Amino acid sequence: MTTTGEEHAAARQGPWWWVRWRSALLDGSLALVSAVECGVRGVGFAGDAGIPVAVGVVFGVLAGSVLLVRRRWPIAVVLVSIAVAPAEMGYLMGVVGLYTLAASELPRRIIASLAGMSLLGMFVVTFVQARRLSDSEVRLGEWAVPFIAVTMSVGMTAPPLLLGLYVGARRRLMESLRERADSLERELQLLAERAEERAEWARGEERTRIAREMHDVVAHRVSLMVVHAAALQAVARKDPEKAVKNAALVGDMGRQALTELREMLGVLRSGEGTRAREVPLVAVAVAASRAADEQVEGPCLEELEELVGQSAAAGMVVALSVQGEVRAYAREIEQTAYRVVQEALTNVHKHAAGAKTYVRLAHRMSEIAMQVENEPPPEVGSSALLPSGGNGLVGMRERVVALGGVFVSGPTDAGGFRVSAVIPAS
């Protein structure tokens, strides 16, 4: 990871501007060697300049010690090395300073300018030294002096400059790779958080779906059972034959409700030997949905007449009318249409017992429409006192809207209640 800001400050372990003690010791050692070199050269410089030797030595030591701040002010180090070059001192300072300058984050134009100045200064110094050597001790040709000057100046300038550029480019590349790794890590963390949010949403959706399925499976048949039980209680002594018939209907409906519950619970428990604690709820939900699609086909529109007949057998005055050409639809469309009619009839049993009810089904070109409307319930009549969970209309609306349909429900002007739904069939 890259360290910037507070993290970078916390990562420092060395004194002052050094990140590590090792860097401080290295710069101190280089500054010491440079100070010794410049101090020794200061003796000759003092003789040539006609100043006291102590002054020349102190000047050299101070100039060489500038290398200590090479990481903080590399430009100052290079400028000092150029300034003391005519005194034939600061060679180590010049080489190390150029390397540090090239490896820094300074603009390339500044690096190129200072490198050119250093090259020119080194060329002049070496040219003068070579000319002096040629005049005093060794006789050199005219071509030898410029050759020596160019070779020495390039040799003292180009290697540290190129090495510094390489190290700086490599350092920037590593920092870029670290930043990219940090960015990818943040993206992965964000994706993980979003995946967790989607998983939580999927859990909620699956719980809602399961609750809706359980409500549709249980509510209608249990409501009919309660209605038949109430009728059975009313006619048990007056009409034993009708009481026996109602008791048989209650038993049939109870068995059907238990069968559908077993199918639903069997789907939810089908894990092929895996433990629930080892499988995420989302995976269980997806598996349950797929298993439900494969194993439990659910009701269809062909069973609508039987559904209406069950309500009629429970004492409801209900009429079914079908318009348009009957055809097959997708399974989820037929199941939703069936559940809407089933829940609407259940609501009539709960809230309008004894009311005359009309069930209308229309097969249209690109959609299927259904409507369940009941008249006002009679003022005097037996009531089974069925509880209301308050989720029937909500569940119907969710089913229809999920398929891109329209759901409308509300009281009629005559005092009854109407439930209407239109589902696209294409």
Side-chain angles (χ1 to χ4, degrees):
M1 304 293 177
T2 57
T3 55
T4 58
E6 296 180 358
E7 295 180 359
H8 183 72
R12 293 182 179 275
Q13 298 178 357
W16 296 338
W17 57 82
W18 287 283
V19 178
R20 295 181 297 270
W21 277 99
R22 184 178 60 184
S23 302
L25 291 176
L26 175 62
D27 290 352
S29 301
L30 291 174
L32 179 62
V33 174
S34 177
V36 171
E37 178 216 350
C38 293
V40 173
R41 295 283 184 176
V43 176
F45 170 70
D48 294 339
I51 59 177
V53 175
V55 175
V57 172
V58 171
F59 173 76
V61 170
L62 293 177
S65 300
V66 176
L67 196 59
L68 188 66
V69 298
R70 69 182 184 95
R71 298 178 190 268
R72 189 69 178 272
W73 298 293
I75 296 179
V77 175
V78 176
L79 291 176
V80 171
S81 68
I82 295 174
V84 300
E88 299 181 1
M89 66 176 63
Y91 295 110
L92 176 62
M93 181 169 54
V95 172
V96 177
L98 280 177
Y99 164 79
T100 306
L101 179 70
S104 66
E105 301 294 334
L106 293 172
R108 293 297 177 86
R109 61 179 182 275
I110 296 178
I111 297 176
S113 300
L114 292 176
M117 294 172 59
S118 179
L119 177 65
L120 181 60
M122 187 64 63
F123 175 79
V124 173
V125 171
T126 53
F127 184 85
V128 172
Q129 290 178 345
R131 174 66 67 182
R132 184 186 305 168
L133 180 64
S134 175
D135 293 340
S136 60
E137 299 179 3
V138 181
R139 188 67 181 176
L140 300 175
E142 296 182 357
W143 58 271
V145 174
F147 176 78
I148 294 175
V150 171
T151 302
M152 290 295 295
S153 59
V154 172
M156 295 289 290
T157 305
L161 183 66
L162 295 177
L163 180 61
L165 290 175
Y166 166 76
V167 172
R170 183 175 179 275
R171 182 185 303 158
R172 287 188 290 272
L173 176 61
M174 295 300 295
E175 291 179 356
S176 175
L177 292 177
R178 291 192 186 98
E179 291 178 358
R180 185 176 300 179
D182 290 345
S183 177
L184 290 176
E185 184 177 356
R186 288 191 296 270
E187 290 180 3
L188 288 176
Q189 184 177 2
L190 181 59
L191 289 175
E193 292 176 357
R194 291 181 178 176
E196 182 63 26
E197 292 177 359
R198 288 194 297 268
E200 187 64 28
W201 175 83
R203 293 187 187 101
E205 287 293 315
E206 187 60 22
R207 291 190 185 100
T208 302
R209 189 191 70 83
I210 294 173
R212 188 167 54 239
E213 290 291 336
M214 297 291 287
H215 177 272
D216 292 338
V217 168
V218 176
H220 180 72
R221 299 199 184 279
V222 172
S223 298
L224 292 181
M225 291 170 61
V226 174
V227 171
H228 281 292
L232 178 61
Q233 184 180 6
V235 302
R237 296 180 179 179
K238 299 179 181 179
D239 192 349
E241 183 177 351
K242 188 175 181 180
V244 172
K245 182 179 179 182
N246 286 342
L249 288 174
V250 171
D252 291 339
M253 291 177 185
R255 283 187 290 272
Q256 292 176 2
L258 287 175
T259 300
E260 294 183 1
L261 279 176
R262 288 194 187 98
E263 291 176 350
M264 180 67 64
L265 294 176
V267 168
L268 295 178
R269 290 176 177 174
S270 60
E272 296 182 359
T274 58
R275 295 181 179 178
R277 69 182 65 179
E278 298 175 355
V279 183
L281 182 56
V282 177
V284 175
V286 174
S289 297
R290 293 178 178 175
D293 292 340
E294 296 174 358
Q295 299 178 14
V296 182
E297 296 183 357
C300 59
L301 291 178
E302 294 180 356
E303 303 174 13
L304 197 59
E305 186 173 353
E306 179 183 355
L307 176 66
V308 173
Q310 292 175 355
S311 295
M316 178 186 293
V317 181
V318 56
L320 171 65
S321 63
V322 180
Q323 300 176 357
E325 182 181 356
V326 178
R327 64 182 186 276
Y329 299 93
R331 185 180 54 185
E332 60 270 14
I333 295 177
E334 293 202 8
Q335 184 175 356
T336 299
Y338 181 93
R339 294 300 190 192
V340 168
V341 176
Q342 182 187 54
E343 182 60 29
L345 291 176
T346 302
N347 288 340
V348 175
H349 283 291
K350 290 181 178 180
H351 308 292
K356 189 173 182 179
T357 306
Y358 304 92
V359 179
R360 303 180 181 92
L361 184 67
H363 300 273
R364 299 172 183 171
M365 183 68 68
S366 59
E367 62 187 17
I368 179 172
M370 64 228 64
Q371 183 183 88
V372 179
E373 180 180 354
N374 63 275
E375 296 179 353
E379 296 182 359
V380 180
S382 62
S383 175
L385 298 177
L386 294 172
S388 175
N391 297 319
L393 294 177
V394 176
M396 285 189 283
R397 183 183 300 277
E398 290 176 351
R399 284 181 177 274
V400 174
V401 172
L403 296 179
V406 178
F407 178 85
V408 179
S409 63
T412 62
D413 295 336
F417 199 84
R418 181 187 298 118
V419 173
S420 302
V422 179
I423 303 175
S426 56

